[in-house]
Amino acid sequence: MSKLITCKEAVKKVKSGSRIMVGGFGLVGSPLELIAALAKTEVKDLEIISNNLGEPGKGLGVLVRQKKVKKAIGSYFTSNPEVVKAYQDKELDVELLPQGTMSEAIRAGGAGIGGFYTPVSVGTKIAENKEERTLNGKKYVFQEPIKADFAFIKAKSADRLGNLIYNKSARNFNPMMATAADVVIAEVDELVEAGQLSPEEIVTPHLYVDYIVVKEGN
């Protein structure tokens, strides 16, 4: 069965209240066409797991402007002043995680690990209400794994099986997110035949990818 679908078909799978991981660091490595398609639907009360929430009117910032995001889990939201205002107006719930902690929590979710202890954030507001433990004389806080209903990820190329390669730093959070969601939808710049990608280049094996969307115009 072909994994190839359109953006419109892909976002129809998302329901209000869904938890969605979205790749990207700023707008780099972010599945912008999938986000734009989602913005045209009626879904709301979304929980978004992403490093940040785009920029004003760009990327995930569109969903924030539309008030479709109920909660955001990530590391760096202040680059979008509209996110700050939505939080101050109590329209958006925000859970901050140190960048490395978030990355590892997503990896743990994909690997079936029940959580981990980290010294990062000990003694800060981020660590409030989290389990704390002293190991070898050093304090740690417990971080639970992160999983989602959907992962919207961005890759440079896919073959028809769903094997993915990434473009340099656009790789960022995408490979980890591909392992930690029930349904993984990959937006790609190009689609090639099975066997055309070098096995040494493949970062995300096809078993993790449920659907492929080819960037419009490619």
Side-chain angles (χ1 to χ4, degrees), residues 192-207:
V192 301
E193 297 301 323
Q196 285 188 251
L197 299 180
S198 168
E200 286 76 21
E201 290 182 296
I202 293 169
V203 177
T204 298
H206 65 91
L207 292 174

Side-chain angles (χ1 to χ4, degrees), residues 11 20 23-24 31-32 34 44 49 62 75 77 128 133 140 144 151 154 156 160 167 174 181-182 185 190 203 215 217:
V11 298
I20 310 173
L32 298 178
L34 277 170
K44 59 183 181 179
I49 301 159
V62 176
S75 299
F77 297 131
E128 287 181 358
R133 187 172 178 182
Y140 294 78
E144 294 183 350
K154 177 68 166 61
K156 177 184 177 182
R160 290 187 179 275
N167 184 24
N174 287 294
D182 295 334
I185 304 171
E190 65 173 357
V203 177
K215 188 176 178 181

